[in-house]
Amino acid sequence: MSDKQEATYGSSVADKVAAIVEPMASALGLEIYDIDYSGGTLKVVLDTPPGGPTGVNLDDLALVTRQLGRELDHSDPVPGRYTLEVTSPGLERTLRRPQHFIREVGKTVNIRLHSAVNGMRRIQGELMAATSDTVTVRNSESADLSTVDINIADIERARTVFVWERAEKPGKAPANKSAKKKIVKKS
C-alpha cells in the first residue's frame, strides 16, 4: 500500500492494527473509536464507552502509544514508513461509520453531502436517529425545524458540533428579568 492510498477501519491494515490495539485499550477501560491510515499517518482514535463518566486522559494515550509503537515495530503490519498518532476523538468528533452516528444521537451535527438532498448540500441540526444505513437530522437552519432523512452513503463529511453555553461571570448575581428598575428623580 503506497502512502497515497488510504486504509480505514475495515481494511486489512486497520484490521491488523485493531487486533493489536484492542486488548491494550480494553485493559484501560477504553474502546477503539476509529483507525485511519492515510498519507503516511496511522491514526488510532480511542474513547471511553458511551455514557462513561470521564474522557480519555493523556496518561492512557501515552501508555497505549508506547505499547502500540513497540508492538507495531515487532509485528510490522503497516508497510513502509509512517507516523503513529494515538488520540481521543475530541469535542467535535468526526463521524464516518454508522456506529459513530448511532453513538452521537441527540447531539448537534454538521453534515456535508456528496450531492444535494431537498435542495441542501450542507445540513446542521440535532441528530434525531441513526441506523446502519440512514440518519435523521432536525434541520436547525429551516424555519419549521423539519427533519431530513439522509443515507449514510450520501454523506461526504460529518462531525459533531460542540455547543458552547454562555456562562455567567464569576461573582455576578443572576439576572432577574422581572425586577423593575428603581427610578430616582433628581431635583
Side-chain angles (χ1 to χ4, degrees), residues 7-27 30-37 42-46 64 67-68 71-72 75-78 82 84-86 96-97:
T8 57
Y9 203 38
S11 73
S12 61
V13 170
D15 286 343
K16 289 176 187 174
V17 172
I20 295 168
V21 77
E22 200 284 321
M24 295 173 195
S26 71
L30 303 174
E31 58 185 34
I32 299 170
Y33 185 80
D34 204 4
I35 296 177
D36 181 39
Y37 175 58
L42 174 62
K43 186 174 183 179
V44 177
V45 183
L46 302 176
V64 172
Q67 292 175 343
L68 182 58
E71 188 58 37
L72 292 175
S75 62
D76 202 25
V78 183
Y82 62 91
L84 173 63
E85 281 184 28
V86 179
R96 297 187 324 156
R97 301 184 350 213

